[in-house]
Amino acid sequence: MTGPVHFEAEPGARADARPLEVPKSALVTAAALIAVVFTLCIAARIFGFGAFAERQSAVIAERQLTFTDESNGGIRVMDATTHTLAASLPPNSNGFLRGALRALTRGRSSAGIGQTVPFRLVRYADGRLVLIDPTTKRSVTVTSFGSTQVESFDRLLRPMARSAVAAP
């Protein structure tokens, strides 16, 4: 049988050494820096400057649309103003459009808002194409995601010829 276990001090440790302490002035400075950064971020969001600023420009095209899931997995897109079919999107297609709609409708459902109010698809004079949910004030700037995504939404801005629409 062996004797009691003996633990040695860490290498370089001295018995007379003071414990490591962070200077109070460094902690106060770090806390002040964090407070200033948060204040600037909140101010930018509220007053609309910096990275959060989107310059308003004239609307050159707009269409109010409603989106309905079809039983086959497709999406029926209706013009909310004329109550005509704007597009019938086949199942397993338009992944970005589906993702953008999912993100916006998630905001509606978490706020307890139904699907009766149409979305706005807006083309601005500065070239931006934006899908806006007027009920939650959330939006997706489609032009930020490349030309393929812009084309899929841009088609929804133009009235569709009756022969090009899939039968309901």
Side-chain angles (χ1 to χ4, degrees):
M1 189 174 280
T2 62
V5 177
H6 175 68
F7 291 100
E8 293 183 6
E10 289 288 324
R14 297 185 333 228
D16 60 338
R18 291 187 343 196
L20 181 62
E21 292 181 10
V22 178
K24 189 173 186 177
S25 61
L27 292 174
V28 170
T29 303
L33 179 64
I34 291 170
V36 167
V37 169
F38 275 111
T39 302
L40 289 175
C41 290
I42 292 168
R45 184 68 160 174
I46 292 171
F47 299 113
F49 62 86
F52 295 108
E54 261 190 21
R55 306 285 178 240
Q56 293 299 325
S57 64
V59 173
I60 58 173
E62 177 178 352
R63 198 168 190 192
Q64 295 193 15
L65 302 168
T66 58
F67 300 87
T68 309
D69 291 327
E70 294 180 328
S71 59
N72 67 354
I75 298 175
R76 179 180 296 262
V77 184
M78 299 293 289
D79 185 310
T81 306
T82 63
H83 303 291
T84 58
L85 184 65
S88 184
L89 307 174
N92 303 319
S93 68
N94 299 288
F96 177 77
L97 187 142
R98 289 173 189 271
L101 286 173
R102 205 173 299 123
L104 292 176
T105 55
R106 188 179 311 119
R108 281 185 175 191
S109 62
S110 67
I113 301 169
Q115 299 298 324
T116 56
V117 178
F119 292 94
R120 291 177 54 220
L121 185 59
V122 180
R123 165 76 68 192
Y124 291 98
D126 63 4
R128 286 181 298 131
L129 182 61
V130 183
L131 180 64
I132 303 168
D133 181 359
T135 60
T136 62
K137 308 292 188 241
R138 294 180 65 196
S139 64
V140 175
T141 304
V142 179
T143 46
S144 299
F145 295 96
S147 61
T148 305
Q149 278 47 279
V150 171
E151 288 173 23
S152 67
F153 277 90
D154 213 17
R155 279 184 248 134
L156 298 177
L157 269 179
R158 297 184 292 258
M160 191 173 225
R162 284 307 273 172
S163 61
V165 177

mmCIF file with all atom_site columns, all heavy atoms in Angstrom, residues 4 20 34 37 46 48 53 59 62 64-65 69-70 77 79 83 99-100 103 108 118-120 124 127 152 154:
data_model
loop_
_atom_site.group_PDB
_atom_site.id
_atom_site.type_symbol
_atom_site.label_atom_id
_atom_site.label_alt_id
_atom_site.label_comp_id
_atom_site.label_asym_id
_atom_site.label_entity_id
_atom_site.label_seq_id
_atom_site.pdbx_PDB_ins_code
_atom_site.Cartn_x
_atom_site.Cartn_y
_atom_site.Cartn_z
_atom_site.occupancy
_atom_site.B_iso_or_equiv
_atom_site.pdbx_formal_charge
_atom_site.auth_seq_id
_atom_site.auth_comp_id
_atom_site.auth_asym_id
_atom_site.auth_atom_id
_atom_site.pdbx_PDB_model_num
ATOM 1   N N   . PRO A 1 4   ? -0.202  8.733  1.210   1.00 0.00 ? 4   PRO A N   1
ATOM 2   C CA  . PRO A 1 4   ? -1.157  9.720  0.669   1.00 0.00 ? 4   PRO A CA  1
ATOM 3   C C   . PRO A 1 4   ? -0.640  10.311 -0.646  1.00 0.00 ? 4   PRO A C   1
ATOM 4   O O   . PRO A 1 4   ? 0.556   10.374 -0.895  1.00 0.00 ? 4   PRO A O   1
ATOM 5   C CB  . PRO A 1 4   ? -1.250  10.780 1.759   1.00 0.00 ? 4   PRO A CB  1
ATOM 6   C CG  . PRO A 1 4   ? -0.062  10.588 2.622   1.00 0.00 ? 4   PRO A CG  1
ATOM 7   C CD  . PRO A 1 4   ? 0.376   9.164  2.470   1.00 0.00 ? 4   PRO A CD  1
ATOM 8   N N   . LEU A 1 20  ? -3.784  36.334 -10.226 1.00 0.00 ? 20  LEU A N   1
ATOM 9   C CA  . LEU A 1 20  ? -3.902  37.176 -11.412 1.00 0.00 ? 20  LEU A CA  1
ATOM 10  C C   . LEU A 1 20  ? -5.191  37.989 -11.331 1.00 0.00 ? 20  LEU A C   1
ATOM 11  O O   . LEU A 1 20  ? -6.267  37.433 -11.122 1.00 0.00 ? 20  LEU A O   1
ATOM 12  C CB  . LEU A 1 20  ? -3.923  36.303 -12.673 1.00 0.00 ? 20  LEU A CB  1
ATOM 13  C CG  . LEU A 1 20  ? -4.013  37.048 -13.989 1.00 0.00 ? 20  LEU A CG  1
ATOM 14  C CD1 . LEU A 1 20  ? -2.784  37.934 -14.173 1.00 0.00 ? 20  LEU A CD1 1
ATOM 15  C CD2 . LEU A 1 20  ? -4.122  36.074 -15.133 1.00 0.00 ? 20  LEU A CD2 1
ATOM 16  N N   . ILE A 1 34  ? -18.399 48.282 -25.278 1.00 0.00 ? 34  ILE A N   1
ATOM 17  C CA  . ILE A 1 34  ? -19.551 47.443 -25.638 1.00 0.00 ? 34  ILE A CA  1
ATOM 18  C C   . ILE A 1 34  ? -20.829 48.281 -25.643 1.00 0.00 ? 34  ILE A C   1
ATOM 19  O O   . ILE A 1 34  ? -21.657 48.171 -26.554 1.00 0.00 ? 34  ILE A O   1
ATOM 20  C CB  . ILE A 1 34  ? -19.658 46.245 -24.680 1.00 0.00 ? 34  ILE A CB  1
ATOM 21  C CG1 . ILE A 1 34  ? -18.492 45.281 -24.924 1.00 0.00 ? 34  ILE A CG1 1
ATOM 22  C CG2 . ILE A 1 34  ? -20.989 45.531 -24.833 1.00 0.00 ? 34  ILE A CG2 1
ATOM 23  C CD1 . ILE A 1 34  ? -18.348 44.194 -23.880 1.00 0.00 ? 34  ILE A CD1 1
ATOM 24  N N   . VAL A 1 37  ? -20.926 50.517 -28.800 1.00 0.00 ? 37  VAL A N   1
ATOM 25  C CA  . VAL A 1 37  ? -21.210 49.742 -30.008 1.00 0.00 ? 37  VAL A CA  1
ATOM 26  C C   . VAL A 1 37  ? -22.686 49.396 -30.086 1.00 0.00 ? 37  VAL A C   1
ATOM 27  O O   . VAL A 1 37  ? -23.324 49.558 -31.137 1.00 0.00 ? 37  VAL A O   1
ATOM 28  C CB  . VAL A 1 37  ? -20.328 48.475 -30.064 1.00 0.00 ? 37  VAL A CB  1
ATOM 29  C CG1 . VAL A 1 37  ? -20.798 47.532 -31.158 1.00 0.00 ? 37  VAL A CG1 1
ATOM 30  C CG2 . VAL A 1 37  ? -18.873 48.854 -30.293 1.00 0.00 ? 37  VAL A CG2 1
ATOM 31  N N   . ILE A 1 46  ? -32.771 52.444 -35.810 1.00 0.00 ? 46  ILE A N   1
ATOM 32  C CA  . ILE A 1 46  ? -33.923 53.316 -35.591 1.00 0.00 ? 46  ILE A CA  1
ATOM 33  C C   . ILE A 1 46  ? -33.943 54.486 -36.569 1.00 0.00 ? 46  ILE A C   1
ATOM 34  O O   . ILE A 1 46  ? -34.975 54.789 -37.163 1.00 0.00 ? 46  ILE A O   1
ATOM 35  C CB  . ILE A 1 46  ? -33.940 53.836 -34.131 1.00 0.00 ? 46  ILE A CB  1
ATOM 36  C CG1 . ILE A 1 46  ? -34.231 52.675 -33.179 1.00 0.00 ? 46  ILE A CG1 1
ATOM 37  C CG2 . ILE A 1 46  ? -34.970 54.949 -33.950 1.00 0.00 ? 46  ILE A CG2 1
ATOM 38  C CD1 . ILE A 1 46  ? -34.060 53.030 -31.719 1.00 0.00 ? 46  ILE A CD1 1
ATOM 39  N N   . GLY A 1 48  ? -32.100 54.823 -39.373 1.00 0.00 ? 48  GLY A N   1
ATOM 40  C CA  . GLY A 1 48  ? -31.897 54.451 -40.769 1.00 0.00 ? 48  GLY A CA  1
ATOM 41  C C   . GLY A 1 48  ? -30.633 54.976 -41.410 1.00 0.00 ? 48  GLY A C   1
ATOM 42  O O   . GLY A 1 48  ? -30.648 55.444 -42.536 1.00 0.00 ? 48  GLY A O   1
ATOM 43  N N   . ALA A 1 53  ? -29.436 51.566 -43.907 1.00 0.00 ? 53  ALA A N   1
ATOM 44  C CA  . ALA A 1 53  ? -30.116 52.561 -44.726 1.00 0.00 ? 53  ALA A CA  1
ATOM 45  C C   . ALA A 1 53  ? -30.383 52.023 -46.128 1.00 0.00 ? 53  ALA A C   1
ATOM 46  O O   . ALA A 1 53  ? -29.495 51.500 -46.775 1.00 0.00 ? 53  ALA A O   1
ATOM 47  C CB  . ALA A 1 53  ? -29.278 53.831 -44.817 1.00 0.00 ? 53  ALA A CB  1
ATOM 48  N N   . VAL A 1 59  ? -41.077 54.097 -57.376 1.00 0.00 ? 59  VAL A N   1
ATOM 49  C CA  . VAL A 1 59  ? -41.589 52.788 -57.768 1.00 0.00 ? 59  VAL A CA  1
ATOM 50  C C   . VAL A 1 59  ? -41.898 52.848 -59.257 1.00 0.00 ? 59  VAL A C   1
ATOM 51  O O   . VAL A 1 59  ? -42.646 53.713 -59.701 1.00 0.00 ? 59  VAL A O   1
ATOM 52  C CB  . VAL A 1 59  ? -42.859 52.434 -56.968 1.00 0.00 ? 59  VAL A CB  1
ATOM 53  C CG1 . VAL A 1 59  ? -43.484 51.155 -57.479 1.00 0.00 ? 59  VAL A CG1 1
ATOM 54  C CG2 . VAL A 1 59  ? -42.549 52.330 -55.487 1.00 0.00 ? 59  VAL A CG2 1
ATOM 55  N N   . GLU A 1 62  ? -45.193 47.653 -59.809 1.00 0.00 ? 62  GLU A N   1
ATOM 56  C CA  . GLU A 1 62  ? -45.632 47.010 -58.572 1.00 0.00 ? 62  GLU A CA  1
ATOM 57  C C   . GLU A 1 62  ? -46.793 46.081 -58.896 1.00 0.00 ? 62  GLU A C   1
ATOM 58  O O   . GLU A 1 62  ? -47.612 46.368 -59.759 1.00 0.00 ? 62  GLU A O   1
ATOM 59  C CB  . GLU A 1 62  ? -46.087 48.045 -57.545 1.00 0.00 ? 62  GLU A CB  1
ATOM 60  C CG  . GLU A 1 62  ? -46.609 47.432 -56.271 1.00 0.00 ? 62  GLU A CG  1
ATOM 61  C CD  . GLU A 1 62  ? -47.013 48.460 -55.225 1.00 0.00 ? 62  GLU A CD  1
ATOM 62  O OE1 . GLU A 1 62  ? -46.765 49.659 -55.414 1.00 0.00 ? 62  GLU A OE1 1
ATOM 63  O OE2 . GLU A 1 62  ? -47.576 48.039 -54.213 1.00 0.00 ? 62  GLU A OE2 1
ATOM 64  N N   . GLN A 1 64  ? -49.489 43.333 -56.614 1.00 0.00 ? 64  GLN A N   1
ATOM 65  C CA  . GLN A 1 64  ? -49.883 42.704 -55.371 1.00 0.00 ? 64  GLN A CA  1
ATOM 66  C C   . GLN A 1 64  ? -50.259 41.265 -55.674 1.00 0.00 ? 64  GLN A C   1
ATOM 67  O O   . GLN A 1 64  ? -51.084 41.008 -56.549 1.00 0.00 ? 64  GLN A O   1
ATOM 68  C CB  . GLN A 1 64  ? -51.041 43.458 -54.739 1.00 0.00 ? 64  GLN A CB  1
ATOM 69  C CG  . GLN A 1 64  ? -50.626 44.850 -54.318 1.00 0.00 ? 64  GLN A CG  1
ATOM 70  C CD  . GLN A 1 64  ? -51.648 45.508 -53.422 1.00 0.00 ? 64  GLN A CD  1
ATOM 71  O OE1 . GLN A 1 64  ? -52.532 44.856 -52.891 1.00 0.00 ? 64  GLN A OE1 1
ATOM 72  N NE2 . GLN A 1 64  ? -51.498 46.804 -53.235 1.00 0.00 ? 64  GLN A NE2 1
ATOM 73  N N   . LEU A 1 65  ? -49.614 40.349 -54.948 1.00 0.00 ? 65  LEU A N   1
ATOM 74  C CA  . LEU A 1 65  ? -49.763 38.926 -55.249 1.00 0.00 ? 65  LEU A CA  1
ATOM 75  C C   . LEU A 1 65  ? -50.135 38.126 -54.011 1.00 0.00 ? 65  LEU A C   1
ATOM 76  O O   . LEU A 1 65  ? -49.691 38.428 -52.907 1.00 0.00 ? 65  LEU A O   1
ATOM 77  C CB  . LEU A 1 65  ? -48.437 38.384 -55.806 1.00 0.00 ? 65  LEU A CB  1
ATOM 78  C CG  . LEU A 1 65  ? -47.890 39.062 -57.058 1.00 0.00 ? 65  LEU A CG  1
ATOM 79  C CD1 . LEU A 1 65  ? -46.451 38.620 -57.307 1.00 0.00 ? 65  LEU A CD1 1
ATOM 80  C CD2 . LEU A 1 65  ? -48.760 38.730 -58.257 1.00 0.00 ? 65  LEU A CD2 1
ATOM 81  N N   . ASP A 1 69  ? -50.666 27.290 -51.867 1.00 0.00 ? 69  ASP A N   1
ATOM 82  C CA  . ASP A 1 69  ? -50.132 25.953 -52.137 1.00 0.00 ? 69  ASP A CA  1
ATOM 83  C C   . ASP A 1 69  ? -51.186 25.128 -52.861 1.00 0.00 ? 69  ASP A C   1
ATOM 84  O O   . ASP A 1 69  ? -52.360 25.134 -52.483 1.00 0.00 ? 69  ASP A O   1
ATOM 85  C CB  . ASP A 1 69  ? -49.736 25.255 -50.834 1.00 0.00 ? 69  ASP A CB  1
ATOM 86  C CG  . ASP A 1 69  ? -48.527 25.882 -50.183 1.00 0.00 ? 69  ASP A CG  1
ATOM 87  O OD1 . ASP A 1 69  ? -47.662 26.375 -50.913 1.00 0.00 ? 69  ASP A OD1 1
ATOM 88  O OD2 . ASP A 1 69  ? -48.461 25.879 -48.938 1.00 0.00 ? 69  ASP A OD2 1
ATOM 89  N N   . GLU A 1 70  ? -50.750 24.418 -53.898 1.00 0.00 ? 70  GLU A N   1
ATOM 90  C CA  . GLU A 1 70  ? -51.646 23.518 -54.618 1.00 0.00 ? 70  GLU A CA  1
ATOM 91  C C   . GLU A 1 70  ? -51.481 22.104 -54.071 1.00 0.00 ? 70  GLU A C   1
ATOM 92  O O   . GLU A 1 70  ? -50.460 21.781 -53.461 1.00 0.00 ? 70  GLU A O   1
ATOM 93  C CB  . GLU A 1 70  ? -51.337 23.560 -56.117 1.00 0.00 ? 70  GLU A CB  1
ATOM 94  C CG  . GLU A 1 70  ? -51.650 24.911 -56.740 1.00 0.00 ? 70  GLU A CG  1
ATOM 95  C CD  . GLU A 1 70  ? -51.349 24.950 -58.224 1.00 0.00 ? 70  GLU A CD  1
ATOM 96  O OE1 . GLU A 1 70  ? -50.399 24.260 -58.663 1.00 0.00 ? 70  GLU A OE1 1
ATOM 97  O OE2 . GLU A 1 70  ? -52.054 25.668 -58.945 1.00 0.00 ? 70  GLU A OE2 1
ATOM 98  N N   . VAL A 1 77  ? -50.036 31.503 -58.056 1.00 0.00 ? 77  VAL A N   1
ATOM 99  C CA  . VAL A 1 77  ? -49.779 32.916 -57.793 1.00 0.00 ? 77  VAL A CA  1
ATOM 100 C C   . VAL A 1 77  ? -50.909 33.717 -58.438 1.00 0.00 ? 77  VAL A C   1
ATOM 101 O O   . VAL A 1 77  ? -51.118 33.632 -59.647 1.00 0.00 ? 77  VAL A O   1
ATOM 102 C CB  . VAL A 1 77  ? -48.416 33.360 -58.374 1.00 0.00 ? 77  VAL A CB  1
ATOM 103 C CG1 . VAL A 1 77  ? -48.126 34.801 -57.995 1.00 0.00 ? 77  VAL A CG1 1
ATOM 104 C CG2 . VAL A 1 77  ? -47.297 32.439 -57.914 1.00 0.00 ? 77  VAL A CG2 1
ATOM 105 N N   . ASP A 1 79  ? -52.898 37.498 -58.989 1.00 0.00 ? 79  ASP A N   1
ATOM 106 C CA  . ASP A 1 79  ? -52.842 38.952 -58.925 1.00 0.00 ? 79  ASP A CA  1
ATOM 107 C C   . ASP A 1 79  ? -53.988 39.387 -58.024 1.00 0.00 ? 79  ASP A C   1
ATOM 108 O O   . ASP A 1 79  ? -55.159 39.143 -58.337 1.00 0.00 ? 79  ASP A O   1
ATOM 109 C CB  . ASP A 1 79  ? -52.981 39.551 -60.320 1.00 0.00 ? 79  ASP A CB  1
ATOM 110 C CG  . ASP A 1 79  ? -52.808 41.056 -60.309 1.00 0.00 ? 79  ASP A CG  1
ATOM 111 O OD1 . ASP A 1 79  ? -53.469 41.735 -59.484 1.00 0.00 ? 79  ASP A OD1 1
ATOM 112 O OD2 . ASP A 1 79  ? -52.030 41.568 -61.124 1.00 0.00 ? 79  ASP A OD2 1
ATOM 113 N N   . HIS A 1 83  ? -57.572 39.694 -59.597 1.00 0.00 ? 83  HIS A N   1
ATOM 114 C CA  . HIS A 1 83  ? -58.044 38.352 -59.251 1.00 0.00 ? 83  HIS A CA  1
ATOM 115 C C   . HIS A 1 83  ? -57.870 37.371 -60.408 1.00 0.00 ? 83  HIS A C   1
ATOM 116 O O   . HIS A 1 83  ? -58.713 36.510 -60.644 1.00 0.00 ? 83  HIS A O   1
ATOM 117 C CB  . HIS A 1 83  ? -59.500 38.375 -58.777 1.00 0.00 ? 83  HIS A CB  1
ATOM 118 C CG  . HIS A 1 83  ? -59.712 39.283 -57.612 1.00 0.00 ? 83  HIS A CG  1
ATOM 119 N ND1 . HIS A 1 83  ? -59.206 39.017 -56.364 1.00 0.00 ? 83  HIS A ND1 1
ATOM 120 C CD2 . HIS A 1 83  ? -60.348 40.476 -57.519 1.00 0.00 ? 83  HIS A CD2 1
ATOM 121 C CE1 . HIS A 1 83  ? -59.519 40.001 -55.540 1.00 0.00 ? 83  HIS A CE1 1
ATOM 122 N NE2 . HIS A 1 83  ? -60.212 40.904 -56.213 1.00 0.00 ? 83  HIS A NE2 1
ATOM 123 N N   . GLY A 1 99  ? -38.381 29.672 -50.687 1.00 0.00 ? 99  GLY A N   1
ATOM 124 C CA  . GLY A 1 99  ? -37.680 30.016 -49.448 1.00 0.00 ? 99  GLY A CA  1
ATOM 125 C C   . GLY A 1 99  ? -38.002 31.421 -48.974 1.00 0.00 ? 99  GLY A C   1
ATOM 126 O O   . GLY A 1 99  ? -38.194 31.652 -47.771 1.00 0.00 ? 99  GLY A O   1
ATOM 127 N N   . ALA A 1 100 ? -38.072 32.370 -49.908 1.00 0.00 ? 100 ALA A N   1
ATOM 128 C CA  . ALA A 1 100 ? -38.409 33.750 -49.547 1.00 0.00 ? 100 ALA A CA  1
ATOM 129 C C   . ALA A 1 100 ? -39.827 33.820 -48.985 1.00 0.00 ? 100 ALA A C   1
ATOM 130 O O   . ALA A 1 100 ? -40.075 34.477 -47.970 1.00 0.00 ? 100 ALA A O   1
ATOM 131 C CB  . ALA A 1 100 ? -38.266 34.658 -50.753 1.00 0.00 ? 100 ALA A CB  1
ATOM 132 N N   . ALA A 1 103 ? -39.972 32.332 -45.475 1.00 0.00 ? 103 ALA A N   1
ATOM 133 C CA  . ALA A 1 103 ? -39.451 33.252 -44.455 1.00 0.00 ? 103 ALA A CA  1
ATOM 134 C C   . ALA A 1 103 ? -40.470 34.329 -44.108 1.00 0.00 ? 103 ALA A C   1
ATOM 135 O O   . ALA A 1 103 ? -40.662 34.648 -42.923 1.00 0.00 ? 103 ALA A O   1
ATOM 136 C CB  . ALA A 1 103 ? -38.164 33.891 -44.957 1.00 0.00 ? 103 ALA A CB  1
ATOM 137 N N   . ARG A 1 108 ? -45.532 36.038 -40.506 1.00 0.00 ? 108 ARG A N   1
ATOM 138 C CA  . ARG A 1 108 ? -46.975 36.249 -40.382 1.00 0.00 ? 108 ARG A CA  1
ATOM 139 C C   . ARG A 1 108 ? -47.589 35.280 -39.374 1.00 0.00 ? 108 ARG A C   1
ATOM 140 O O   . ARG A 1 108 ? -48.390 35.670 -38.535 1.00 0.00 ? 108 ARG A O   1
ATOM 141 C CB  . ARG A 1 108 ? -47.667 36.051 -41.730 1.00 0.00 ? 108 ARG A CB  1
ATOM 142 C CG  . ARG A 1 108 ? -47.554 37.213 -42.656 1.00 0.00 ? 108 ARG A CG  1
ATOM 143 C CD  . ARG A 1 108 ? -48.376 36.977 -43.901 1.00 0.00 ? 108 ARG A CD  1
ATOM 144 N NE  . ARG A 1 108 ? -48.354 38.157 -44.744 1.00 0.00 ? 108 ARG A NE  1
ATOM 145 C CZ  . ARG A 1 108 ? -49.129 38.333 -45.789 1.00 0.00 ? 108 ARG A CZ  1
ATOM 146 N NH1 . ARG A 1 108 ? -49.988 37.393 -46.140 1.00 0.00 ? 108 ARG A NH1 1
ATOM 147 N NH2 . ARG A 1 108 ? -49.055 39.438 -46.498 1.00 0.00 ? 108 ARG A NH2 1
ATOM 148 N N   . PRO A 1 118 ? -52.335 40.561 -49.432 1.00 0.00 ? 118 PRO A N   1
ATOM 149 C CA  . PRO A 1 118 ? -51.364 40.163 -50.451 1.00 0.00 ? 118 PRO A CA  1
ATOM 150 C C   . PRO A 1 118 ? -49.968 40.729 -50.184 1.00 0.00 ? 118 PRO A C   1
ATOM 151 O O   . PRO A 1 118 ? -49.810 41.735 -49.501 1.00 0.00 ? 118 PRO A O   1
ATOM 152 C CB  . PRO A 1 118 ? -51.942 40.748 -51.741 1.00 0.00 ? 118 PRO A CB  1
ATOM 153 C CG  . PRO A 1 118 ? -52.846 41.838 -51.320 1.00 0.00 ? 118 PRO A CG  1
ATOM 154 C CD  . PRO A 1 118 ? -53.343 41.490 -49.949 1.00 0.00 ? 118 PRO A CD  1
ATOM 155 N N   . PHE A 1 119 ? -48.974 40.062 -50.754 1.00 0.00 ? 119 PHE A N   1
ATOM 156 C CA  . PHE A 1 119 ? -47.600 40.554 -50.737 1.00 0.00 ? 119 PHE A CA  1
ATOM 157 C C   . PHE A 1 119 ? -47.460 41.588 -51.846 1.00 0.00 ? 119 PHE A C   1
ATOM 158 O O   . PHE A 1 119 ? -48.201 41.552 -52.831 1.00 0.00 ? 119 PHE A O   1
ATOM 159 C CB  . PHE A 1 119 ? -46.610 39.413 -50.987 1.00 0.00 ? 119 PHE A CB  1
ATOM 160 C CG  . PHE A 1 119 ? -46.552 38.410 -49.869 1.00 0.00 ? 119 PHE A CG  1
ATOM 161 C CD1 . PHE A 1 119 ? -47.323 37.262 -49.911 1.00 0.00 ? 119 PHE A CD1 1
ATOM 162 C CD2 . PHE A 1 119 ? -45.721 38.619 -48.788 1.00 0.00 ? 119 PHE A CD2 1
ATOM 163 C CE1 . PHE A 1 119 ? -47.270 36.330 -48.895 1.00 0.00 ? 119 PHE A CE1 1
ATOM 164 C CE2 . PHE A 1 119 ? -45.657 37.690 -47.753 1.00 0.00 ? 119 PHE A CE2 1
ATOM 165 C CZ  . PHE A 1 119 ? -46.437 36.545 -47.809 1.00 0.00 ? 119 PHE A CZ  1
ATOM 166 N N   . ARG A 1 120 ? -46.485 42.485 -51.701 1.00 0.00 ? 120 ARG A N   1
ATOM 167 C CA  . ARG A 1 120 ? -46.202 43.466 -52.751 1.00 0.00 ? 120 ARG A CA  1
ATOM 168 C C   . ARG A 1 120 ? -44.862 43.113 -53.386 1.00 0.00 ? 120 ARG A C   1
ATOM 169 O O   . ARG A 1 120 ? -43.872 42.941 -52.681 1.00 0.00 ? 120 ARG A O   1
ATOM 170 C CB  . ARG A 1 120 ? -46.114 44.875 -52.163 1.00 0.00 ? 120 ARG A CB  1
ATOM 171 C CG  . ARG A 1 120 ? -47.423 45.414 -51.659 1.00 0.00 ? 120 ARG A CG  1
ATOM 172 C CD  . ARG A 1 120 ? -47.271 46.795 -51.024 1.00 0.00 ? 120 ARG A CD  1
ATOM 173 N NE  . ARG A 1 120 ? -46.614 47.721 -51.918 1.00 0.00 ? 120 ARG A NE  1
ATOM 174 C CZ  . ARG A 1 120 ? -45.702 48.618 -51.525 1.00 0.00 ? 120 ARG A CZ  1
ATOM 175 N NH1 . ARG A 1 120 ? -45.317 48.685 -50.261 1.00 0.00 ? 120 ARG A NH1 1
ATOM 176 N NH2 . ARG A 1 120 ? -45.152 49.432 -52.390 1.00 0.00 ? 120 ARG A NH2 1
ATOM 177 N N   . TYR A 1 124 ? -38.042 49.181 -58.105 1.00 0.00 ? 124 TYR A N   1
ATOM 178 C CA  . TYR A 1 124 ? -37.727 50.581 -57.877 1.00 0.00 ? 124 TYR A CA  1
ATOM 179 C C   . TYR A 1 124 ? -36.871 51.126 -59.016 1.00 0.00 ? 124 TYR A C   1
ATOM 180 O O   . TYR A 1 124 ? -36.229 50.367 -59.749 1.00 0.00 ? 124 TYR A O   1
ATOM 181 C CB  . TYR A 1 124 ? -36.982 50.764 -56.544 1.00 0.00 ? 124 TYR A CB  1
ATOM 182 C CG  . TYR A 1 124 ? -37.852 50.490 -55.344 1.00 0.00 ? 124 TYR A CG  1
ATOM 183 C CD1 . TYR A 1 124 ? -37.808 49.251 -54.697 1.00 0.00 ? 124 TYR A CD1 1
ATOM 184 C CD2 . TYR A 1 124 ? -38.715 51.454 -54.855 1.00 0.00 ? 124 TYR A CD2 1
ATOM 185 C CE1 . TYR A 1 124 ? -38.608 49.001 -53.597 1.00 0.00 ? 124 TYR A CE1 1
ATOM 186 C CE2 . TYR A 1 124 ? -39.520 51.202 -53.752 1.00 0.00 ? 124 TYR A CE2 1
ATOM 187 C CZ  . TYR A 1 124 ? -39.459 49.976 -53.124 1.00 0.00 ? 124 TYR A CZ  1
ATOM 188 O OH  . TYR A 1 124 ? -40.254 49.727 -52.039 1.00 0.00 ? 124 TYR A OH  1
ATOM 189 N N   . GLY A 1 127 ? -33.285 50.046 -59.528 1.00 0.00 ? 127 GLY A N   1
ATOM 190 C CA  . GLY A 1 127 ? -33.018 48.687 -59.973 1.00 0.00 ? 127 GLY A CA  1
ATOM 191 C C   . GLY A 1 127 ? -33.370 47.606 -58.965 1.00 0.00 ? 127 GLY A C   1
ATOM 192 O O   . GLY A 1 127 ? -33.375 46.433 -59.301 1.00 0.00 ? 127 GLY A O   1
ATOM 193 N N   . SER A 1 152 ? -36.738 35.009 -61.791 1.00 0.00 ? 152 SER A N   1
ATOM 194 C CA  . SER A 1 152 ? -37.908 34.254 -61.319 1.00 0.00 ? 152 SER A CA  1
ATOM 195 C C   . SER A 1 152 ? -38.966 35.182 -60.722 1.00 0.00 ? 152 SER A C   1
ATOM 196 O O   . SER A 1 152 ? -40.161 34.948 -60.895 1.00 0.00 ? 152 SER A O   1
ATOM 197 C CB  . SER A 1 152 ? -37.497 33.179 -60.317 1.00 0.00 ? 152 SER A CB  1
ATOM 198 O OG  . SER A 1 152 ? -37.008 33.756 -59.134 1.00 0.00 ? 152 SER A OG  1
ATOM 199 N N   . ASP A 1 154 ? -39.060 38.578 -61.439 1.00 0.00 ? 154 ASP A N   1
ATOM 200 C CA  . ASP A 1 154 ? -39.384 39.574 -62.464 1.00 0.00 ? 154 ASP A CA  1
ATOM 201 C C   . ASP A 1 154 ? -40.532 39.094 -63.352 1.00 0.00 ? 154 ASP A C   1
ATOM 202 O O   . ASP A 1 154 ? -41.361 39.888 -63.789 1.00 0.00 ? 154 ASP A O   1
ATOM 203 C CB  . ASP A 1 154 ? -38.138 39.867 -63.304 1.00 0.00 ? 154 ASP A CB  1
ATOM 204 C CG  . ASP A 1 154 ? -38.093 41.293 -63.785 1.00 0.00 ? 154 ASP A CG  1
ATOM 205 O OD1 . ASP A 1 154 ? -38.824 42.130 -63.222 1.00 0.00 ? 154 ASP A OD1 1
ATOM 206 O OD2 . ASP A 1 154 ? -37.337 41.574 -64.726 1.00 0.00 ? 154 ASP A OD2 1
#
